[in-house]
Amino acid sequence: MLQLRDLSKCYGGVPVFSQVDLQVAAGEFVAILGESGVGKSTLLNCIAGLDSVNSGRVLVHGTNVTVLPETQQALFRRAHLGFVFQAFHVLPLLSVAHNVGLPLLLQGRPDDARVQSVLAAVGLEGLGARLPETLSGGQLQRVAIARALVHRPQLILADEPTGNLDPSTAERVMDLLCAQVRREGAACVLVTHSRAAAARADRVLTLTATGMSEGPVDAQPDKAQDRTRNPSAAPA
C-alpha cells in the first residue's frame, strides 16, 4: 500500500531527515515515534504530497506521488488519503456535518447517511448541525477524524491525533482508528509522542535524522500521562 524509498528532506540546505525507507501493507497500523523537531509531521506531509522531497520516492498503491503535478496530487489525496491534522483544520463557517462530508462532496458523491453514520461512530451523533466554535477540543478532534474516514480512504495519515486530548478521549480516538484499519483494510501511519497510542499499532518505528529504525526510542515521554497532571488538556 505505502512504500517510502530513500526519502530525504531539507529546509534551506539543513537536513530534516534522510534515507527513510518504509513499507506499510493494507490493513496494517504503524506508529512512528521520534524526538521533537526530527520531522515526523513533515514526513506525513511528504507522504501526502503536501510538501516536496529532496530525493527518494513515495509510492501509494503503486503511484509515485512525488512526481505527480500539484493538481494531480490533490486529486489523488482526495480519492485515496485521509489526513488527521494535529490542529484539526475544520472550516469554522461550516456545520459539523458539512465539515465531515466535505471529502465526499469534493468527490462528487455526497452521502448524508454515511456522514451521519461516521458522526455516530465517533460519538457526535446529534451534533451535525452545530458550528465548530460550539465544540470542545476533544469533539473537534473527533470531527477531524470523522472527516478523514468518511470516504473510506486506503491510507490514513494521523498527526498526533491524541495530542490535545485527555487520556479517556485519546483512548476512544485510538479505538476508532484501529477499528477503521481492521474493518476497511486501510493502512494507517500514526506519528505521536505517546507510548500509549503507539502501543496500539502493529509496529512501532522511530524516525531519526538518518532514517527509520525498528522499535521505540529508549526514553520517549508519554504526553497522555503528562495530561493527567495537566488540567489544560482538552476535554471530550
Side-chain angles (χ1 to χ4, degrees), residues 118-140:
V118 175
L119 284 174
V122 299
L124 296 177
E125 189 172 12
L127 301 184
R130 292 174 60 173
L131 290 175
E133 65 182 9
T134 68
L135 303 185
S136 70
Q139 289 171 324
L140 286 172

Side-chain angles (χ1 to χ4, degrees), residues 12-35:
V14 178
V16 179
F17 52 75
S18 63
Q19 301 176 331
V20 172
D21 292 302
L22 174 65
Q23 289 199 64
V24 184
E28 186 178 20
F29 194 156
V30 173
I32 299 175
L33 298 170
E35 296 179 356

Side-chain angles (χ1 to χ4, degrees), residues 96-98 100-102 104 111-120 146 150:
V96 167
H98 285 149
V100 171
L102 193 57
L104 293 171
D111 187 339
D112 290 340
R114 171 64 179 169
V115 170
Q116 295 306 318
S117 173
V118 175
L119 284 174
V150 70

Side-chain angles (χ1 to χ4, degrees), residues 28-34 40 158-163 167 170-171 173-175 177-178 182 188-207 213-217 220-225 227:
E28 186 178 20
F29 194 156
V30 173
I32 299 175
L33 298 170
K40 298 186 299 297
D159 187 2
E160 293 279 10
T162 63
E171 185 173 359
V173 164
M174 292 305 302
D175 287 343
L177 287 175
C178 290
R182 309 309 178 207
C188 181
V189 179
L190 164 78
V191 300
T192 183
H193 283 95
S194 169
R195 280 182 175 271
R200 302 290 297 275
D202 300 313
R203 284 192 291 148
V204 180
L205 308 174
T206 297
L207 179 65
S213 60
E214 292 283 344
V217 291
Q220 190 68 257
D222 189 332
K223 288 190 174 181
Q225 292 179 357
R227 280 191 298 277

Side-chain angles (χ1 to χ4, degrees), residues 55-123:
S55 63
R57 294 195 294 170
V58 176
L59 301 174
V60 179
H61 208 53
T63 297
N64 188 353
V65 177
T66 54
V67 299
L68 292 178
E70 187 173 335
T71 300
Q72 293 301 312
Q73 285 182 338
L75 293 173
F76 189 83
R77 279 194 300 272
R78 197 179 290 177
H80 301 288
L81 271 63
F83 206 126
V84 182
F85 294 96
Q86 185 176 357
F88 312 146
H89 291 310
V90 297
L91 300 179
L93 298 183
L94 293 185
S95 69
V96 167
H98 285 149
N99 266 285
V100 171
L102 193 57
L104 293 171
L105 184 64
L106 291 173
Q107 291 181 13
R109 52 185 186 100
D111 187 339
D112 290 340
R114 171 64 179 169
V115 170
Q116 295 306 318
S117 173
V118 175
L119 284 174
V122 299

Side-chain angles (χ1 to χ4, degrees), residues 4-8 17-22 43 57 207-208 210-212:
L4 308 184
R5 298 180 179 174
D6 200 25
L7 209 66
S8 298
F17 52 75
S18 63
Q19 301 176 331
V20 172
D21 292 302
L22 174 65
L43 178 64
R57 294 195 294 170
L207 179 65
T208 70
T210 56
M212 197 84 73

